[in-house]
Amino acid sequence: MEFEKLQHAAAHSQPPDVSMAKLTKDRQQTTHRLTRALLLSVVFLTFIWALGNGVPFSSQQQSKGPDVAKVQQCAIDNFHSDLSFLDPAVPIKADEFLERRDRLARALVASGVDAFVLEPGYTFQYYGNISQVDWEPWEPEERPFLMLVLPQTLETGEVVAKTAFLAPHFEEGRVRMLGIPSRDGAELDIVVWEEHWDPYATLMESHLFKQKKTTKEDGEEATHAPPKLMMDEEIRDFIARGLAATGFETVGLSPEAELVRQIKSPAEVELLRAVNTGTVMAVRAMRPCLVPGLTEDEVRDVLDAALLSVGFGLFFDIVLFEEHGALPHGGVRYWGDEADGGEHGDNPIVDHLPRAHYLGYSSDICRSFFIDPPKQQSSWLDRLNSFLPSCMGSSLFRRNDGTDLSSSSSPELRAEKFKVWDIVLEAQSAAAAAFMPNHTAAGVDIAARTIIEEAGYGYGFTHRLGHGIGIKAHESPYLNKWNKKVLLQPGMTFTNEPGIYLEGKFGVRHEDIYLVKEEGEAELLTGRRATGPYDP
């Protein structure tokens, strides 16, 4: 009976009231759950793929800078692959220092001068093999320590140099220990003065100038012209004034005296060839090692390390990217400017002006070259972003640094860079052909300047063409279009460095070193010139 009652109740019961809206909502919720699960699976699988392929997935990893140490080692290894440029270079021998002084003595006679006066510095280094830092490493000494070169005429009529020194008495021993070359190894002739003496009066009363005084028959001292001293261009003003106040007649450098340093010996030529060729080769060795993200300072440091690795000394090195190169010697922005990491669009141009010393002689070269920008590779987030449906809010996966690293320079600017590079090289070639004996210094400048002016960029060639080079990076004669009195002579060495500088855009300079020969074309002392924008 109970079973039959239950059957009857079931047969007469009503089904639940299920609406179509509720069914639709349930289906939508199920679809969303499945979609989210699918997207999470895609994100997870992409993340696993990125880890397996070494793809950076954090902003910290993406912003990691270049491995500067690796770049530096690459440059050093490339540089050391061929150091044959050093083989002909040897230190200047003692006999050459004596020969230089003899040449100076003859120039003093021609100039009507009794003695040449100099103190530690580049000129002292040239005649005595002692630089400023050899004498005082920290700063120039206020106590006068002077070298004097006096002409003497031998019985044969030959003019030779007598070398003497003025030094504080307590420094006499140190002066003798410096190893200043002397004729036949003779002991140095040193006039000493005590701290409470007048050093210049001591010099006047010394045996060096005593022969300038004679006595008349009545016992009175005869009157003679005061000793005439030629001042080196580097001598400090207080010394020149002290000598003049004591009664010496002081005069400046004569052309004859300047010519002694301007004409280089074969040994000097080989030293200049070694240090300048080596500096260019260091730049070439470094270039293929450069990577995106390096700053100007980092590139400079990489080259400096390469130069130091072969025994070169550093004293002035500039690296300039793009518009910074429009200032020939740079500006304050290139020192540690982290914002300039080498990402400057299509074909960024690098101006490199390194200078170094080797065995006392200077390099002064410049190379302007191009580097292709890296191909932009998207991060795993960007790749994921490219296929996620827009309805899912894909902007959450975009980088938000506000910098468009893929921007590039205009085709017009790119073309102008290459055009200017070629114009400057042509101007350098014209100047090289003008390095001939008896040509004026002005004529060499004008040869290069004419090429640049005819190309329409005369306004951008803002400096002289070049200058002499030797112990100092900048020596006379100077190549500018007003220097019409100086005639080039065999043995002179010069920089040849035309440039075009377009402020706010870029700058290009090519710089090499040339030796004027007895006849024919000048000799290149930097190995070879740049051959193209990618081959400095």
Side-chain angles (χ1 to χ4, degrees), residues 124-199:
F124 203 122
Q125 182 180 339
Y126 180 80
Y127 288 113
N129 200 27
I130 299 297
S131 68
Q132 166 59 48
V133 294
D134 291 332
W135 177 244
E136 292 291 0
W138 50 89
E139 63 183 10
E141 172 65 74
E142 75 278 7
R143 301 179 179 94
F145 168 47
L146 305 180
M147 178 179 183
L148 295 95
V149 178
L150 305 89
Q152 286 186 328
T153 304
L154 303 180
E155 293 181 357
T156 60
E158 181 185 6
V159 176
V160 297
K162 172 181 174 54
T163 306
F165 302 87
L166 175 71
H169 193 184
F170 77 93
E171 295 280 33
E172 180 182 2
R174 186 159 74 100
V175 173
R176 297 192 187 280
M177 293 173 62
L178 290 173
I180 299 172
S182 62
R183 200 176 303 277
D184 299 323
E187 189 173 89
L188 298 182
D189 186 352
I190 304 176
V191 175
V192 298
W193 57 277
E194 302 292 350
E195 291 270 46
H196 56 284
W197 294 358
D198 181 339

Side-chain angles (χ1 to χ4, degrees), residues 78-118:
N78 289 348
F79 191 28
H80 282 243
S81 65
D82 181 11
L83 298 180
S84 59
F85 61 87
L86 292 174
D87 294 342
V90 295
I92 299 297
K93 296 181 179 179
D95 287 348
E96 183 161 330
F97 290 103
L98 301 178
E99 181 185 343
R100 293 172 180 178
R101 293 180 219 162
D102 287 343
R103 290 169 54 203
L104 176 60
R106 293 190 286 272
L108 297 177
V109 171
S111 305
V113 172
D114 297 308
F116 184 77
V117 184
L118 57 157

Side-chain angles (χ1 to χ4, degrees), residues 457-506:
Y457 286 97
Y459 65 93
F461 187 6
T462 56
H463 56 72
R464 67 192 177 203
L465 175 73
H467 49 80
I469 183 171
I471 283 181
K472 290 180 67 175
H474 287 210
E475 294 185 351
S476 64
Y478 301 102
L479 303 176
N480 63 71
K481 65 181 181 180
W482 302 115
N483 195 1
K484 299 178 180 179
K485 295 181 180 180
V486 172
L487 298 180
L488 274 54
Q489 297 194 32
M492 289 182 173
T493 50
F494 293 96
T495 65
N496 179 359
E497 47 180 311
I500 294 176
Y501 311 94
L502 307 179
E503 290 199 23
K505 297 167 75 173
F506 62 90

Side-chain angles (χ1 to χ4, degrees), residues 44-94:
F44 177 75
L45 291 174
T46 303
F47 178 76
I48 296 300
W49 173 85
L51 287 177
N53 288 274
V55 178
F57 56 88
S58 72
S59 60
Q60 183 178 4
Q61 286 175 292
Q62 288 178 337
S63 63
K64 184 179 180 181
D67 187 342
V68 179
K70 183 177 180 180
V71 174
Q72 181 173 294
Q73 191 59 52
C74 171
I76 291 175
D77 291 343
N78 289 348
F79 191 28
H80 282 243
S81 65
D82 181 11
L83 298 180
S84 59
F85 61 87
L86 292 174
D87 294 342
V90 295
I92 299 297
K93 296 181 179 179

